[in-house]
Amino acid sequence: SAEVNLEMIPVAQDASLGDAISGGEEYALLFTVAPEGFEALSQEYFEHFGEKIYPIGHIINETPGFIHWLDHGELCEEFWDPFSHFGE
């Protein structure tokens, strides 16, 4: 499982948080890294690509595959529609 902090998700200018999560037009690489390796990886990534890595949450030991969406530490419901390539 994962806890994702909505306030930490980067949102492009003129986009909404819902767009950032499920818009389909823009995307970013999402990956996990051990907490103790984050600083070194972040620095190396920036030096190589000139872009920041944004920590948006962490992995927790609960139900596999479940995402806990948090808004400033409070559990919240999904408020966005999932992306559909065919507008369905």
Side-chain angles (χ1 to χ4, degrees):
S1 293
E3 288 185 340
V4 176
N5 301 297
L6 296 174
E7 69 276 5
M8 296 176 76
I9 296 174
V11 178
Q13 185 175 346
D14 298 327
S16 69
L17 179 59
D19 293 335
I21 294 170
S22 66
E25 292 299 320
E26 300 290 332
Y27 64 92
L29 181 62
L30 181 64
F31 60 92
T32 59
V33 62
E36 61 273 10
F38 177 77
E39 289 302 323
L41 178 64
S42 182
Q43 182 176 349
E44 191 173 324
Y45 187 90
F46 185 80
E47 290 171 3
H48 188 79
F49 296 106
E51 298 286 337
K52 289 177 58 177
I53 293 176
Y54 296 91
I56 61 168
H58 59 275
I59 302 300
I60 58 175
N61 291 324
E62 286 191 16
T63 308
F66 189 79
I67 299 175
H68 300 269
W69 300 98
L70 303 176
D71 185 6
H72 295 89
E74 298 293 322
L75 192 61
C76 69
E77 298 292 322
E78 294 179 18
F79 57 85
W80 54 89
D81 293 322
F83 178 75
S84 171
H85 285 278
F86 305 106
E88 299 171 358

